[in-house]
Amino acid sequence: MPVINRFAELAPEITEWRRDIHRHPEIQFETHRTSALVAGKLRTFGCDEVVTGLGRTGVVGVIHGRKTGSGRVIGLRADMDALPIQEETNLPYASATPGAMHACGHDGHTAMLLGAARYLAETRNFDGTAVVIFQPAEEGGGGGREMVEDGLMERFGIEEVYGLHNDPTRPLGEFAIRSGPFLASSDKFRIEITGRGGHAAFPQTCIDPTLVASQIVIGLQSIVSRNTDPLEAAVVSVTSFRTEGNAYNVIPERVRMKGTIRTLRAEIRDLCEARLKTLVENTAAAFGATAAVDYSREYPVTSNHAAPAEFAAGIAEEIAGATGVVRGAPPIMGAEDFSFMLNARPGAFIFMGNGVGPALHHPGYNFNDEAIPVGCSYWVRLVERALPLS
Ligand code: NI
């Protein structure tokens, strides 16, 4: 069975919601307008319960099926936040907020889950409860973690949880999923190297932190190439390198660096963190400089549970056909804070093709409205199949 017919009728309206959200992007936990819009619509649809303020600006809608005897509860999650990017699409509904943009398609995710909520509240062809979860601050803020810490799973009795993200590297409507690690853990580090500044013409009187930091950048490349099993995945990237100096004839006192580490397994994550600290501290010491490392674990690995991943792949196949679902899709080194929800409950995360176009987080990116009926159908069928009416 392909896309649900009702969504062909609803698509123009859901597209309007998507474009309205697109025009008014909000970053991190500041999704006040979007959260109010979501909560208002959920109430209009006749959700049995609408809760706001979970995970600061998160919103949850509860929809009971025609029957609830099964006692089962399924969670569906969308993200609502935008990115600090200046939009360059020239769309008529482009961002009205300078420096903010829906460049990851969370506007589409929110609109599609709203569309599904409307249909589920209208039809209620299931036995149990569907909980629609709208989270803020997916882009690095840990909104998913905050909702879990606020008792999301316990409060609504959620037994399984599912997430979806659009993918502009795949054809429209194609789904991709795998069991096990799917997206990477994401950690960040800051390194400060303190040497001894002075006149650049007399380097022998100084300890040059720029040279020390440069050795460290090179040395860090050995974590992936020499310490990590070649069959494992890891990324170590230094993304910022700033000397305190600003003159051609002064050796500065300090250099500060920042970067990220991505892995697909806890053991590799531990290894990378330990090697980074050892390399930084001992390299600095070898040159007579001192180093301070601030290492912060951000998102864990997004790891799909086997049975829910298989179930989700089957639902995707109902919508897209057998050839429209890539099972065993390769993992990617991007990260997702849906990982916190998957650490709290069994479930699965799936990618849905957006049609090939500008990359996620690119100023020319736009969510493809033609994907709306596909995503809405996936959510609805997932609930109806997981909670069948007997
Ligand atoms: Ni995203």
Side-chain angles (χ1 to χ4, degrees), residues 79 104 106 109 138-139 165 336 361:
D79 36 18
C104 202
H106 299 186
H109 303 165
E138 193 289 315
E139 300 288 357
H165 204 291
E336 244 297 335
H361 296 205

Side-chain angles (χ1 to χ4, degrees), residues 72-158:
R72 299 205 54 215
V73 184
I74 299 288
L76 314 176
R77 169 275 204 175
D79 36 18
M80 301 188 287
D81 57 316
L83 284 155
I85 293 174
Q86 182 63 39
E87 181 161 348
E88 291 173 15
T89 61
N90 292 319
L91 289 163
Y93 54 89
S95 170
T97 308
M101 175 193 179
H102 270 291
C104 202
H106 299 186
D107 49 346
H109 303 165
T110 298
M112 289 190 296
L113 190 55
L114 279 174
R118 172 164 171 180
Y119 181 96
L120 290 169
E122 210 170 82
T123 54
R124 301 189 188 249
N125 285 324
F126 54 99
D127 179 357
T129 300
V131 177
V132 288
I133 305 161
F134 297 86
Q135 73 149 88
E138 193 289 315
E139 300 288 357
R145 176 180 53 213
E146 295 217 10
M147 288 190 85
V148 170
E149 285 172 357
D150 267 2
L152 170 71
M153 301 301 172
E154 298 78 12
R155 178 165 176 179
F156 301 98
I158 296 167

Side-chain angles (χ1 to χ4, degrees), residues 37-49:
L37 181 149
V38 166
K41 295 231 180 289
L42 293 177
R43 288 191 189 100
T44 308
F45 303 156
C47 286
D48 298 284
E49 199 184 337

Side-chain angles (χ1 to χ4, degrees), residues 26-31 57 80-82 84 136-142:
E26 295 171 302
I27 289 167
Q28 293 288 325
F29 287 96
E30 300 302 313
T31 59
T57 39
M80 301 188 287
D81 57 316
E138 193 289 315
E139 300 288 357

